Amino acid sequence: MKLPAKTIERLSQYRRILLSCQGKGKTHIYSHELAHLLNITAVQVRRDIMLMGYASSQKKGYDIKDLVSVIGSILDPKKNQNVAVIGVGNLGRAITSYFKGKRTKLNIVATFDNDPAKVNTVISGVNCYPVKQLPEMIKSLDISIAILTVTPDSASIVAENLVMAGIRGILNFTSVPLSVAPHVYLEEYDMVTSIEKVAYFVKKNATGT
Amino acid sequence: MKLPAKTIERLSQYRRILLSCQGKGKTHIYSHELAHLLNITAVQVRRDIMLMGYASSQKKGYDIKDLVSVIGSILDPKKNQNVAVIGVGNLGRAITSYFKGKRTKLNIVATFDNDPAKVNTVISGVNCYPVKQLPEMIKSLDISIAILTVTPDSASIVAENLVMAGIRGILNFTSVPLSVAPHVYLEEYDMVTSIEKVAYFVKKNATGT
DNA sequence: AATATACTGTTAATTTTATAACATTGTTTG
DNA sequence: CAAACAATGTTATAAAATTAACAGTATATT
């Protein structure tokens, strides 16, 4: 089964919404309800669900528990995937604390920083190691995914080390575009670009063009 | 001129790269050089540049100064656009300090928080106001864009207040999908989704499918 | 000066993503 | 029970984004 990348992104969002509904005691949900909560169309919801191969048994909407389980069977790994955050600045801390405990199969198990004041401290329950120890810790903790929140000047070299240490996926929050071997999945996100994009469309709306 | 949203995102990235090259004394750049630095194709670079309506005068590549100026003429507003960060947690701080001084026409002029310990402090040179003062400050400081980094439970209500106060664009970093009036440009980014996406493709690569 | 080279600018084709259309089916209602 | 209704599942169409193809042109080369 080969799902579109955009569908994968939405599955993650569906699940969060569904879990939240479940927490409120809801057991079933209509496609248009889910759509409304995410500001997308009901067709898109149904199509995504169809692509997963799930079909609602009733006309009372989708069974939330089933849906969560199906999404989990697609998104979640069989065995745990371990994640590291490289760079314990404000952003690294935000991500670590934000993500902590969000998913059971996907855990942040280590953070890394060069600052001696940060090394060996505990951030949201996760220990901070010196960047120098990246290779050994990646192996010993079986870390497959790295979240990169270091300063721009060290981004490239750290990424290189990550790849050499055997990392399989990188989520890059630095402003430096990375280049990695093709077997490493790379996702980049840049906040300044997002802000500039919003600014552009705000300006565009204002001027009417 | 109506440029694709994806092109707008890339223009922002082109500019950053170009400015960095300029800082190194480079005056001209080939499409394939720029492409390589961003891990995209040279065709895409040329196509984006074409869409802007710019043409290189020489075969020595694009004049960097000209390109930066053309991109600026598209992305930058005539008069300053003011930005506010709502929610001074780790993420809010990260964004504020990260963005500070990055662009001349786009400035973070205020932060907002409910925590009395944070109110009236200065974060990266920007003053923090109580959330209660949002409406008046948005007007008096002429803020058109808000970056939302509050806790999930208050995201919706804060967004509503922002819209009522006359905000024109929102960049939403909370995990709560927002719904705003159509005249407000909304961009959402969720880190957990990004991490889960990376995890999915790492898993998928590993299992060979 | 003619030819090869290397790059750009543009149109065409392809791929990806989203939307629309519609047939199907359970549920409700008169 | 039959008709109307409301929801889903699926195919078809449209829109957006990327990639490919190729013509055009300045520069370099012999």
Side-chain angles (χ1 to χ4, degrees), chain B residues 80-205:
Chain B
N80 283 12
Q81 270 175 304
N82 292 331
V83 180
V85 172
I86 328 291
V88 184
N90 281 318
L91 184 55
R93 266 194 297 273
I95 292 171
T96 307
S97 67
Y98 183 54
F99 193 73
K100 189 65 190 165
K102 274 273 162 53
R103 298 258 65 82
T104 54
K105 294 296 190 71
L106 203 54
N107 283 303
I108 297 182
V109 297
T111 67
F112 294 86
D113 204 290
N114 267 331
D115 185 346
K118 286 170 185 166
V119 167
N120 285 325
T121 62
V122 173
I123 296 111
S124 303
V126 182
N127 194 49
C128 179
Y129 302 92
V131 174
K132 212 169 286 179
Q133 285 179 21
L134 259 180
E136 51 187 284
M137 293 311 295
I138 284 181
K139 267 150 206 144
S140 67
L141 292 177
D142 189 26
I143 294 168
S144 57
I145 294 167
I147 300 174
L148 203 59
T149 57
V150 301
T151 52
D153 55 293
S154 63
S156 292
I157 180 73
V158 170
E160 216 171 289
N161 288 334
L162 285 169
V163 173
M164 282 195 299
I167 211 82
R168 308 298 310 269
I170 297 177
L171 176 49
N172 177 26
F173 282 108
T174 77
S175 57
V176 181
L178 299 178
S179 170
V180 298
H183 70 275
V184 178
Y185 184 85
L186 176 65
E187 173 90 4
E188 315 220 32
Y189 181 75
D190 179 61
M191 290 172 179
V192 174
T193 292
S194 278
I195 299 174
E196 292 198 331
K197 184 182 175 191
V198 172
Y200 173 81
F201 284 106
V202 162
K203 172 175 77 114
K204 195 152 150 295
N205 282 353

Side-chain angles (χ1 to χ4, degrees), chain A residues 15-185:
Chain A
R15 176 159 67 178
R16 177 177 320 117
I17 300 285
L18 292 169
L19 289 172
S20 146
C21 290
Q22 213 171 25
K24 290 170 190 155
K26 216 165 151 57
T27 62
H28 292 76
I29 194 168
Y30 294 122
S31 59
H32 62 260
E33 290 179 295
L34 193 44
H36 182 73
L37 290 167
L38 280 160
N39 287 309
I40 60 177
T41 67
V43 189
Q44 185 134 71
V45 171
R46 294 204 302 273
R47 199 169 198 292
D48 285 335
I49 291 174
M50 180 199 80
L51 290 173
M52 287 197 295
Y54 178 70
S56 70
S57 49
Q58 320 188 35
K59 295 292 139 176
K60 275 309 203 182
Y62 298 96
D63 183 298
I64 291 179
K65 198 155 74 62
D66 284 2
L67 253 192
V68 167
S69 147
V70 173
I71 293 174
S73 76
I74 288 169
L75 290 188
D76 295 338
K78 295 236 170 49
K79 58 192 272 296
N80 283 12
Q81 270 175 304
N82 292 331
V83 180
V85 173
I86 329 290
V88 185
N90 281 319
L91 184 56
R93 265 194 298 271
I95 293 172
T96 306
S97 68
Y98 183 55
F99 192 73
K100 188 66 190 168
K102 274 273 162 51
R103 299 258 64 83
T104 54
K105 295 295 192 70
L106 202 55
N107 283 304
I108 296 181
V109 297
T111 67
F112 293 86
D113 205 289
N114 268 329
D115 184 347
K118 287 169 185 165
V119 167
N120 284 326
T121 63
V122 174
I123 295 111
S124 303
V126 181
N127 195 48
C128 180
Y129 301 92
V131 174
K132 211 170 286 179
Q133 285 178 23
L134 259 180
E136 53 188 283
M137 294 310 296
I138 284 182
K139 266 150 207 145
S140 67
L141 292 176
D142 190 26
I143 294 167
S144 57
I145 295 167
I147 300 174
L148 204 59
T149 55
V150 299
T151 51
D153 55 293
S154 63
S156 292
I157 180 73
V158 170
E160 216 171 290
N161 289 332
L162 284 169
V163 173
M164 282 196 300
I167 211 82
R168 306 300 308 271
I170 298 177
L171 176 49
N172 176 26
F173 282 107
T174 77
S175 58
V176 181
L178 299 178
S179 170
V180 299
H183 70 275
V184 177
Y185 184 84

